Structure formats: C-alpha cells, structure tokens
Amino acid sequence: MESKLQLHGFNNLTKSLSFNIYDICYAQTEEQREAYIDYIDEMYNAERLTQILSDVVKIIGANILNIARQDYEPHGASVTMLIAEHELSNGEPDNEESPGPLPDTIVAHLDKSHVTVHTYPESHPHDGVSTFRADIDVSTCGLISPLKVLNYLIHSFDSDVVTVDYRVRGFTRDVDGTKHYIDHDINSIQNYLTEDTQNAYQMIDVNVYQENMFHTKMMLKNFNLDNYVFGVNASDLDPQEAQSIEDRLRREMLEIFYSRNVE
C-alpha cells in the first residue's frame, strides 16, 4: 500500500467540474413548442433542481449552508448552494478513478465550496427544433474530486449531448515544502462513467495533462424518433417527413457535439 502524502496545513487544491447537458426535441407548431417549453419548465423547475443538487451534495458528503433558487419568466430556473466540509467517520476520501454512485452512499470530503445549476430552454423559430440546456457547476476545495457525481447527473436528465470539463487549480504543499498541483490520478473523465453509460454514448476526449485540464464530449448513439417528436407519434408521420425531421434533429446534435455549424 502506498504511503499517504503528508501535507503542510490544509489541502488548497480547487477542483471544478462543469457539466452541460442538451436535450433535443422536435415541436412542429407554435402550440407544440410552447407546450414543450412548459413541460421543461415544470420538469426542471427550481424545486426539482434543488432536489437534484441536494442529492449531489449527499454524494460528495457535504453540508448545505445556504440555498438560493429562482424560477424565471418566461422560462428557465437557477439554483445555487453554498456547501461546507463534512468529514467521513474514517476520514478517508475516495479519489479512485472509477464511477461514482447513483446515489446510495456518501463518500467525500469538502470545504467552502458550491454547486450551481442554470437551465436554458430555447427553440428554433422556423424548423421546429427545440433544445433544452442545463449547466451544472460543482466546485470543491480539499481532497475529494467532484467527478463522482457524473453518473447521477447524467441519469437525472434526458441527455442527448453532454460536455464535461474538469480542472484542478492551485497547489498544496507537503511537509517538506514541495508543491503538488494534483492529488489524484486521472487519465480520462470517461473512467468515472459506468460501463452502460460508456456504451450508450459516442465520446471524445480533449485533455491537457500538463495543465490538469480534462474535457469529454458525449453524444447518444441510438436514435429513436419517438423519443424526439413532441405532441405527435412518429408512426403517424409521413415517411418522407419523418426522415426530414430526423435529419434536422441529427444535424442539431452533431452541431452541438462538434461546436460548429454544419452546412
């Protein structure tokens, strides 16, 4: 067993996880688009988002100090939580490069940190494509990595496209004065995802190891039109129209995944 790194004072490393999910939908008429936005606003209102973030805080073993939440007109919501350190009984952080819970156990150690979520429903004015985006940020100071919350978050939203950014900032010193710019091994964000999640998504990594910056993009592999049309059944559509809708939805997903417009 490796000997533990003995630090001088508090662990000053800051670990920041930025998690963005996109849910794509086709709503042909103005009435259907409004119904989709209303559905999203109800499904992911400030109360529901508060519960999701509360579960995130449980996974990383923190205490909630303060909650600020707001629903917006005409749509969207935001929640911000300040969280404080919570020691495990055995004092052991879980920084192993492996998937986290969904959630049923508490394994973490944090201090003076926060979690936030903001939602952004929007729709294309002409071609019927609507997109819901949720941005979640988890920032921790100390020993634990917030990557353990990824599995729970991906399963909490209907995620067609996901982008994940993780960065370790600052440094901490050992008792001899040597600086350490990261305190856990990581090769890829993908190693924190369960096998079924890895199999469900096409994934690309863009990592800058020397800067402790990690980026993973994910796009759902399987496409079932019934999961994307709102207010109608795919089987009721004319085959040519159904193919046209599928092409538009796939294009939307590809553009978000590659962060560029497709001609």
Side-chain angles (χ1 to χ4, degrees):
M1 181 178 296
E2 294 182 348
S3 60
K4 296 180 182 177
L5 177 67
Q6 190 172 359
L7 299 179
H8 174 71
F10 182 68
N11 186 333
N12 292 309
L13 290 171
T14 299
K15 298 156 189 175
S16 299
L17 173 69
S18 179
F19 172 88
N20 310 101
I21 73 99
Y22 299 84
D23 175 62
I24 316 301
C25 175
Y26 178 81
Q28 184 176 26
T29 67
E30 181 64 27
E31 181 180 0
Q32 289 172 346
R33 286 193 289 273
E34 291 178 359
Y36 170 73
I37 296 299
D38 289 343
Y39 164 77
I40 289 296
D41 274 347
E42 178 64 26
M43 187 70 177
Y44 299 110
N45 59 26
E47 182 178 359
R48 169 80 191 287
L49 295 174
T50 298
Q51 183 57 57
I52 291 174
L53 291 195
S54 297
D55 289 341
V56 166
V57 172
K58 290 178 183 178
I59 294 173
I60 54 182
N63 290 319
I64 297 174
L65 296 179
N66 181 68
I67 300 174
R69 66 185 187 185
Q70 182 65 53
D71 288 303
Y72 298 106
E73 291 291 345
H75 45 68
S78 296
V79 179
T80 300
M81 291 183 180
L82 290 179
I83 56 180
E85 180 178 306
H86 174 76
E87 289 278 6
L88 294 179
S89 58
N90 62 6
E92 292 294 333
D94 182 4
N95 281 321
E96 182 184 355
E97 193 178 17
S98 61
L102 288 179
D104 55 7
T105 58
I106 298 176
V107 283
H109 173 134
L110 300 184
D111 184 42
K112 300 173 184 175
S113 307
H114 67 272
V115 292
T116 65
V117 59
H118 307 283
T119 65
Y120 304 90
E122 67 87 34
S123 60
H124 192 288
H126 303 300
D127 69 1
V129 175
S130 296
T131 303
F132 165 68
R133 183 176 105 239
D135 295 350
I136 300 176
D137 292 288
V138 184
S139 181
T140 71
C141 297
L143 299 176
I144 193 63
S145 167
L147 287 165
K148 289 295 184 179
V149 304
L150 273 179
N151 281 304
Y152 174 77
L153 290 174
I154 290 174
H155 286 78
S156 295
F157 296 90
D158 293 325
S159 307
D160 294 313
V161 180
V162 182
T163 63
V164 186
D165 291 284
Y166 177 65
R167 184 177 184 186
V168 181
R169 293 173 293 153
F171 62 85
T172 193
R173 298 179 190 270
D174 64 22
V175 293
D176 296 325
T178 302
K179 298 182 186 71
H180 297 271
Y181 296 91
I182 193 168
D183 62 355
H184 65 95
D185 293 330
I186 174 173
N187 292 306
S188 171
I189 291 172
Q190 296 186 35
N191 294 334
Y192 289 85
L193 303 174
T194 54
E195 185 176 353
D196 65 319
T197 301
Q198 294 184 45
N199 292 335
Y201 287 87
Q202 173 186 342
M203 292 188 279
I204 295 176
D205 279 357
V206 181
N207 300 324
V208 185
Y209 294 103
Q210 63 270 30
E211 297 295 335
N212 295 320
M213 298 171 60
F214 305 87
H215 175 76
T216 296
K217 296 193 288 188
M218 308 166 56
M219 182 170 63
L220 203 62
K221 292 179 181 178
N222 293 331
F223 189 96
N224 184 340
L225 189 57
D226 272 320
N227 296 331
Y228 294 90
V229 290
F230 193 85
V232 297
N233 294 320
S235 58
D236 295 332
L237 297 172
D238 176 82
Q240 187 173 354
E241 180 184 10
Q243 186 61 55
S244 175
I245 293 171
E246 180 175 338
D247 291 343
R248 276 177 274 174
L249 290 167
R250 287 184 178 274
R251 174 175 174 171
E252 180 82 356
M253 293 172 66
L254 285 169
E255 288 184 339
I256 295 172
F257 183 67
Y258 289 109
S259 300
R260 60 175 60 92
N261 294 322
V262 177
E263 298 298 333

